[in-house]
């Protein structure tokens, strides 16, 4: 990814705004608002460490430029831009590092993450499930194992 003249490698997490309500991530805001879209403008939340390395701020002046290699395509040395998917988003918030994936993450709409990575609407690489207090997590895990690949269940 790029912000102005700075570049970094980051983990993209495609989600929706309900995610921020369930996991309490909004409590980690350093600045900005936890949103992924402002009208027609795509936005993203970024980790504090990533923002520091990119010297990124929450403002509508400079977009974050996101790049990802095209799925199933060979990289072209003569025309590298033809070998990548790209998108621009504006930082809506910076998240305080909390020792987990936040520090090197950029949170975008799941549709944007799918476009960049080149996967279909029903394909996922990661699934996070929240349950009510007292829920039997082993039963839920067992049910998920019956319908999902083991590689995405912890």
């Amino acid at each position: 990814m790029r912000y102005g003249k700075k570049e970094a490698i980051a983990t993209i997490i495609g989600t929706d705004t309900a995610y921020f309500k369930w996991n309490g991530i909004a409590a980690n805001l350093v600045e900005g608002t936890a949103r992924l879209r402002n009208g027609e403008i795509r936005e993203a939340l970024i980790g504090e460490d990533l923002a520091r390395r990119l010297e990124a701020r929450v403002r509508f002046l400079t977009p974050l430029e996101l790049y990802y290699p095209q799925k199933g395509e060979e990289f072209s040395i003569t025309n590298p831009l033809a070998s990548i998917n790209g998108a621009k988003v504006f930082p809506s918030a910076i998240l305080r590092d909390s020792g987990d994936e936040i520090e090197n993450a950029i949170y975008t709409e799941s549709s944007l993450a799918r476009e960049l990575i080149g996967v279909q609407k029903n394909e996922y690489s990661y699934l996070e499930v929240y349950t009510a207090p007292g829920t039997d997590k082993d039963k839920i895990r067992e049910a998920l194992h019956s319908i999902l690949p083991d590689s995405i269940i912890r």
Side-chain angles (χ1 to χ4, degrees):
M1 67 180 298
R2 182 182 324 167
Y3 182 81
K5 294 183 181 191
K6 301 273 186 169
E7 295 181 348
I9 295 174
T11 300
I12 189 167
I13 298 173
T15 187
D16 61 25
T17 52
Y19 177 78
F20 306 126
K21 294 174 188 171
W22 286 101
N23 73 0
I25 208 168
N28 290 328
L29 290 180
V30 173
E31 71 175 276
T33 304
R35 67 177 181 228
L36 301 172
R37 186 175 281 275
N38 187 4
E40 293 299 312
I41 299 165
R42 287 178 156 170
E43 295 184 313
L45 288 73
I46 58 176
E48 187 176 30
D49 184 57
L50 184 59
R52 189 177 307 112
R53 285 185 282 135
L54 293 169
E55 297 178 7
R57 307 297 320 161
V58 175
R59 59 181 174 223
F60 186 71
L61 298 174
T62 307
L64 292 162
E65 298 175 50
L66 310 177
Y67 301 101
Y68 196 87
Q70 287 185 356
K71 186 177 180 180
E73 298 291 325
E74 277 193 41
F75 187 78
S76 170
I77 294 175
T78 57
N79 188 5
L81 290 178
S83 304
I84 59 173
N85 294 326
K88 292 181 181 182
V89 296
F90 289 88
S92 67
I94 296 175
L95 300 168
R96 181 174 299 107
D97 297 340
S98 62
D100 55 13
E101 73 272 358
I102 290 175
E103 67 185 33
N104 198 43
I106 176 167
Y107 293 83
T108 67
E109 290 180 305
S110 55
S111 59
L112 174 61
R114 282 191 195 97
E115 285 174 33
L116 283 171
I117 296 170
V119 297
Q120 300 299 316
K121 189 173 184 176
N122 63 346
E123 292 181 275
Y124 297 90
S125 60
Y126 185 82
L127 179 65
E128 206 165 313
V129 177
Y130 291 88
T131 62
T135 302
D136 186 342
K137 293 178 184 171
D138 289 332
K139 279 187 177 180
I140 292 174
R141 191 174 285 113
E142 186 179 308
L144 290 173
H145 272 291
S146 71
I147 58 173
L148 297 171
D150 291 343
S151 62
I152 65 169
I153 300 173
R154 295 191 220 182

